[in-house]
């Protein structure tokens, strides 16, 4: 009887492979192995470009490698023991998983899974191996997702089943950036109605924070960015005042303190510059000012701040993925989008075919896009 069960085979497909730091991705054929136990193989439908893909590509990471982690797709095959998914299910990939059984998952206080947390070594969580190869030689993963490939294999804990009615080419943004910003506003900061908010960096994450703050009823949402082209776009997401530090004659924190009567209730660092964390802390009010840091720094990961900022009652908080438990919480965000309660479409500035993925990287490097959605061949 068991011999008649269809066993998935190795798939040969196109992937955009990174061979060295800062180099253009190379479109070539890779072999994708069948899913192992508790894994699924996904036909990627769309994948959007996130700044952390660019940062990792430009760093001296592990190569050869397939980047990409913000993606949507359809389950092509399932591994042994998989009961949660079936072939044909629509899914979002997630760069940090949820096993639902470890201490962190069971705590109710955290989304930091001890089993399926952020994978940095370029391999799968389960066996520390890769599912990609070229002529028998391994090609490494990124965040255990690797969506810059027509097919990929992920652990079931790093995929979220979503409604087949939701457009995959839109909701892919919820698998990282957009959800991160909303979660920072709602879960991490828990922004209150009538409060003042300042956001440093108005990319997808910063504007998602703004959207979350607006929905919560913040009275003043100040956006800080050195790109003047962000001014008009930012207002669509809830920014009430735009400040370009290059136009200021005094430190930006002084400007913010003046226009908020002593400092904002909440500040968000969405750039990935540890020096800006101090500025964000200084832009908060005494007593209860809360700074949330979201950006991933390329250089100087250490944070330094005068202890007096904390002595006066300020708080600095970090988070991953906006505090969302991906499998438990993402379906509700998809529902909110379908009910027109949150914006996604407005974040998509470019749609490109897979073969133009290097153009998407150029647009991001030049600051000319919010989110560029890459469409895989039908």
């Amino acid at each position: 009887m068991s011999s008649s069960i269809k066993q998935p085979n190795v798939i040969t497909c196109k992937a955009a492979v990174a061979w060295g730091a800062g180099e253009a991705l190379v479109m070539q054929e890779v072999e994708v192995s069948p899913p192992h136990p508790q894994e699924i193989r996904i036909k990627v439908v769309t994948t959007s470009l996130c700044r952390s893909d660019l940062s990792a590509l430009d760093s001296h990471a592990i190569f050869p490698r397939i980047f990409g982690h913000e993606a949507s797709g359809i389950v092509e095959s399932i591994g042994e023991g998989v009961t949660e998914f079936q072939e044909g299910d629509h899914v979002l990939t997630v760069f940090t998983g949820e096993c639902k059984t470890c201490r962190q998952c069971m705590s109710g206080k955290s989304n930091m899974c001890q089993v399926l947390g952020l994978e940095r070594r370029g391999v799968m969580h389960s066996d520390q191996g890769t599912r990609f190869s070229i002529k028998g030689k391994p090609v490494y993963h990124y965040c255990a997702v690797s969506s810059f490939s027509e097919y990929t294999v992920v652990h079931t804990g790093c995929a979220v089943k979503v409604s087949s009615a939701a457009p995959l080419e839109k909701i892919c943004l919820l698998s990282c950036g957009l959800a991160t910003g909303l979660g920072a506003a709602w879960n991490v900061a828990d922004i209150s109605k009538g409060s003042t908010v300042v956001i440093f960096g108005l990319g997808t994450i910063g504007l998602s924070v703004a959207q979350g703050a607006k929905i919560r009823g913040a009275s003043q949402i100040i956006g800080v960015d050195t790109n003047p082209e962000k001014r008009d776009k930012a207002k669509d997401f809830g920014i009430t005042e735009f400040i370009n530090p290059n136009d200021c004659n005094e430190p930006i924190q002084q400007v913010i303190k003046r226009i908020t009567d002593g400092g904002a209730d909440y500040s968000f660092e969405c750039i990935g510059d540890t020096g800006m964390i101090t500025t964000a802390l200084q832009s908060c009010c005494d007593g209860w000012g809360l700074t949330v840091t979201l950006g991933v720094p390329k250089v100087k990961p250490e944070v330094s701040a005068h202890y007096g900022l904390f002595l006066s009652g300020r708080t600095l908080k970090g988070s991953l993925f906006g505090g969302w438990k991906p499998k438990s919480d993402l379906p509700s965000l998809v529902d909110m989008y379908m009910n027109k309660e949150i914006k996604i479409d407005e974040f998509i500035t470019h749609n490109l075919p897979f073969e133009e993925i290097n153009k998407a990287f150029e647009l991001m490097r030049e600051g000319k896009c919010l989110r560029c959605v890459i469409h895989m061949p039908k």
Side-chain angles (χ1 to χ4, degrees), residues 23-223:
E23 293 178 16
L25 304 182
V26 180
M27 199 65 70
Q28 57 194 125
E29 289 201 333
V30 297
E31 292 87 42
V32 186
S33 74
H36 288 205
Q38 296 305 321
E39 293 176 357
I40 56 175
R41 189 162 59 188
I42 298 169
K43 177 176 173 45
V44 179
V45 174
T46 56
T47 178
S48 38
L49 199 60
C50 177
R51 186 156 288 277
S52 55
D53 292 308
L54 177 60
S55 299
L57 173 63
D58 287 348
S59 70
H60 295 285
I62 312 150
F63 297 103
R65 200 172 197 184
I66 296 171
F67 286 103
H69 63 283
E70 197 174 85
S72 61
I74 298 169
V75 176
E76 176 269 337
S77 56
I78 60 174
E80 185 185 327
V82 174
T83 55
E84 183 187 352
F85 297 97
Q86 296 178 333
E87 291 174 17
D89 282 348
H90 287 206
V91 293
L92 291 177
T93 59
V94 281
F95 66 92
T96 180
E98 181 184 355
C99 74
K100 298 192 174 184
T101 56
C102 72
R103 180 190 173 197
Q104 292 276 353
C105 283
M106 297 287 281
S107 71
K109 301 174 184 178
S110 165
N111 66 342
M112 302 291 289
C113 180
Q114 290 167 288
V115 179
L116 300 170
L118 200 55
E119 208 301 307
R120 300 172 189 274
R121 290 171 292 180
V123 292
M124 295 295 285
H125 288 99
S126 50
D127 65 353
Q128 310 301 298
T130 72
R131 303 292 177 265
F132 296 106
S133 60
I134 295 175
K135 295 177 182 172
K137 294 189 175 174
V139 177
Y140 293 96
H141 297 251
Y142 179 61
C143 290
V145 173
S146 296
S147 55
F148 294 165
S149 172
E150 292 179 308
Y151 289 85
T152 190
V153 176
V154 303
H155 192 283
T156 55
C158 294
V160 181
K161 186 176 175 179
V162 294
S163 165
S164 59
L168 292 174
E169 72 278 8
K170 310 286 190 187
I171 62 168
C172 56
L173 271 64
L174 287 172
S175 79
C176 180
L178 214 152
T180 296
L182 287 172
W186 296 343
N187 304 328
V188 185
D190 193 14
I191 289 173
S192 56
K193 188 176 181 180
S195 57
T196 54
V197 175
V198 59
I199 301 163
F200 294 87
L202 299 178
T204 297
I205 290 179
L207 292 176
S208 297
V209 172
Q211 177 177 201
K214 181 182 180 182
I215 291 170
R216 277 288 176 93
S219 63
Q220 191 177 27
I221 307 171
I222 303 160

